[in-house]
Amino acid sequence: MTVAATPASPPATTGGQNGVRLARSRRNAELSLLMLAMVLVAAYGAMVEASVLDRVTPNFWVPAAALSAVFLGLHVAIRFLAPFADPALLPSVALLNGLGVGFLHRLDLARATPAERADLATFAGTGGRQLAWTLISVALAAGLLAVVRDHRSISRYAYTLGLAGIVLVMIPAVLPSSISEINGAKLWVRVGGFSIQPGEFAKLALLAFFAYYLVRKREVLSLASRRILGVDLPRGRDLGPVVVVWLISLLVLVFEKDLGTSLLYFGMFVVTLYIATERVSWLLIGLVLFFGGAYLAYVLGSTVGGPFANFYLRAEIWLDPFADPYNDGYQLVQGLLALGTGGMFGAGPGGGQPLKLPEVQNDFIFAGLGEEIGLFGLSALLVIYLLIVERGLRAALAVHDSFGKLLAGGLAFTLGLQVFVIVGGISRLIPLTGQTTPFLSAGGSSLMANWLLIAVLLRVSDAARRPVSGGSGPAPRPTGGPPEQLHGAPTEVIRP
């Protein structure tokens, strides 16, 4: 008797193969965009040298090549550690970071004498230091991806992070002005030749605590007491957390003398609260509290003085910078003149006079760039920031756990708010602040903190986009158990 051979049965599932192809496709897209970004950085460096030196040196490509090696290292790490992460985040941030290094090197060329410019070392000066900080920051981002394999594990340390965040916020306020104050704002800790801005790391720690706290208290904070003009107002007893954070933000405003930091902390809490509860009333209450507190500080500064005097002076400069254009209003006036001189298309890379701007490498780097790349160039930079924020919000909408939604949404909004605060101050939309422009300004604290922020967004987006085992759709949950169950909190999912 002959037995017919049966054909081999097909694999039970192709989900694993589909997932591998999907991850490879996204990472290849990321690599292509990253290479394009580095080509743009190299082209910017060549145009700067052509304008400043009247020729392009044979080493113009070296900074872009060094940055490419650093970012390629992170790209390889993402391929193994977060293969399904958003492919647009790394190239967008790399382009901003590369242009920042390029502009800082352009400032080094401007500070050197004509005889020294041609022989100026690629890795010397502010641009060289920023390149070193980029390497450290990217290494920290890769390390965070390696250590934090599930974003929900951050919630286990929520209270520790919250306490650490408060301590980091208050350290500059209690230190003597001689080691904590720069340009009127007490945001720094300076020891010898080393300085750090603790508030940059505090925002990440506080946001992780806010997200965990609001996941646990979402139902209570969503309750309404009465409806006025179509807005559901919360119960009076539930205003405690907002009032506490509001008071802390006012203390930052008064004792650290910085409106931007105060607005950043309070704004990220109120917006995270809105994402958690979907109550517009919390946004309205937050706006009333913050602007009411700022106006009260302004009035007290004009009458009492003391710790309120610095904020009053900044507000007066904002209202009329040309009243004292050579003293108190000099920085803001020069920034406005730089933006006006740049016009629509700018003077070209290397064609401006950025050294006339005080703190052009930090607070006013956006104005210095605006003089050379014009309104069109600045609009392109703002679109890149908007893209990063949008991808962060998309990750928040796609991830399935409540903590991830609040964490990613809060981080994305915080980055956007920081850009608004610094650009608004330079353009005289709001009083001038001491914030730095993310990824562009010189300094290690801001760069490290913002790269850590991007690493968390990459981790959340990887969880949101990871395909289901046995299919190609998004996975409902990564392994490890949701923080709601780990901590006994409600297990509801926030509606996108």
Side-chain angles (χ1 to χ4, degrees):
M1 182 177 62
T2 305
V3 179
T6 58
S9 59
T13 176
T14 60
Q17 297 175 2
N18 289 339
V20 171
R21 285 196 295 268
L22 182 62
R24 185 181 298 117
S25 173
R26 284 174 177 164
R27 300 281 68 81
N28 290 341
E30 179 183 80
L31 179 60
S32 300
L33 291 172
L34 185 59
M35 291 297 96
L36 176 61
M38 292 300 99
V39 168
L40 293 177
V41 171
Y44 175 80
M47 288 187 287
V48 165
E49 289 194 354
S51 178
V52 177
L53 304 177
D54 292 327
R55 65 186 180 90
V56 179
T57 65
N59 297 327
F60 81 93
W61 55 273
V62 173
L67 288 168
S68 299
V70 172
F71 296 138
L72 279 175
L74 181 57
H75 166 76
V76 173
I78 293 173
R79 277 186 178 268
F80 290 98
L81 301 174
F84 299 97
D86 194 311
L89 283 173
L90 176 58
S92 301
V93 177
L95 178 58
L96 292 172
N97 199 160
L99 291 176
V101 172
F103 184 75
L104 293 174
H105 181 64
R106 179 258 181 278
L107 295 180
D108 293 332
L109 291 174
R111 293 188 183 102
T113 63
E116 297 172 339
R117 289 174 182 173
D119 298 325
L120 185 67
T122 303
F123 302 105
T126 309
R129 287 194 297 271
Q130 189 73 353
L131 189 57
W133 281 120
T134 300
L135 173 61
I136 296 172
S137 303
V138 171
L140 285 176
L144 188 145
L145 289 174
V147 173
V148 181
R149 297 300 183 97
D150 184 349
H151 63 272
R152 292 169 298 170
S153 65
I154 300 174
S155 66
R156 298 171 184 168
Y157 310 98
Y159 288 104
T160 303
L161 290 172
L163 178 60
I166 293 175
V167 171
L168 289 173
V169 169
M170 302 311 296
I171 284 176
V174 300
L175 289 176
S177 298
S178 59
I179 61 175
S180 65
E181 184 171 329
I182 297 178
N183 297 327
K186 297 186 64 175
L187 301 174
W188 299 85
V189 176
R190 293 181 296 171
V191 179
F194 179 77
S195 62
I196 188 172
Q197 196 170 352
E200 292 288 344
F201 301 97
K203 66 184 181 184
L204 302 180
L206 289 174
L207 192 55
F209 169 73
F210 292 159
Y212 172 75
Y213 173 81
L214 293 173
V215 165
R216 293 175 61 90
K217 301 296 183 181
R218 173 179 177 255
E219 285 189 343
V220 173
L221 295 172
S222 298
L223 297 176
S225 62
R226 63 185 64 182
R227 188 177 182 87
I228 299 178
L229 298 177
V231 178
D232 294 319
L233 297 179
R235 301 179 302 175
R237 72 186 76 168
D238 299 327
L239 292 174
V242 176
V243 173
V244 169
V245 178
W246 174 65
L247 290 174
I248 292 176
S249 69
L250 287 185
L251 290 175
V252 171
L253 175 65
V254 173
F255 292 102
E256 296 192 357
K257 307 174 185 179
D258 186 62
L259 174 67
T261 304
S262 174
L263 177 59
L264 190 65
Y265 293 151
F266 187 64
M268 69 183 187
F269 176 76
V270 172
V271 169
T272 307
L273 178 58
Y274 167 70
I275 296 173
T277 62
E278 301 178 7
R279 297 289 188 190
V280 179
S281 55
W282 286 117
L283 292 179
L284 299 178
I285 291 171
L287 290 173
V288 171
L289 284 175
F290 184 81
F291 287 111
Y295 179 73
L296 178 62
Y298 173 78
V299 172
L300 291 175
S302 63
T303 56
V304 178
F308 305 95
N310 182 270
F311 176 69
Y312 173 76
L313 177 61
R314 286 184 179 241
E316 286 293 300
I317 294 172
W318 168 59
L319 292 173
D320 189 7
F322 292 93
D324 190 6
Y326 297 104
N327 190 12
D328 290 335
Y330 181 76
Q331 186 180 29
L332 183 55
V333 167
Q334 291 300 314
L336 294 173
L337 291 176
L339 293 175
T341 302
M344 294 294 291
F345 302 102
Q353 296 178 312
L355 295 185
K356 291 188 175 182
L357 282 168
E359 299 297 327
V360 65
Q361 73 277 9
N362 295 318
D363 301 5
F364 270 66
I365 193 170
F366 212 74
L369 278 167
E371 184 182 10
E372 299 191 347
I373 63 177
L375 178 62
F376 275 26
L378 292 184
S379 298
L381 293 181
L382 291 177
V383 168
I384 296 173
Y385 280 116
L386 183 62
L387 175 63
I388 297 171
V389 173
E390 185 270 335
R391 304 305 272 199
L393 293 177
R394 178 176 293 188
L397 290 172
V399 75
H400 289 263
D401 66 284
S402 300
F403 178 75
K405 287 182 180 293
L406 295 182
L407 183 63
L411 289 173
F413 171 79
T414 300
L415 181 64
L417 180 60
Q418 186 170 350
V419 175
F420 166 77
V421 165
I422 186 62
V423 175
I426 291 171
S427 60
R428 204 176 154 231
L429 181 63
I430 61 174
L432 194 61
T433 67
Q435 290 292 310
T436 57
T437 310
F439 307 109
L440 289 176
S441 296
S445 301
S446 176
L447 196 60
M448 288 189 291
N450 284 306
W451 269 108
L452 290 174
L453 182 153
I454 294 299
V456 177
L457 288 182
L458 287 169
R459 175 54 67 209
V460 175
S461 68
D462 176 70
R465 292 163 173 259
R466 186 174 294 274
V468 178
S469 177
S472 58
R477 291 187 186 277
T479 59
E484 299 92 338
Q485 295 176 358
L486 291 173
H487 298 280
T491 59
E492 77 281 0
V493 175
I494 299 176
R495 296 187 301 274

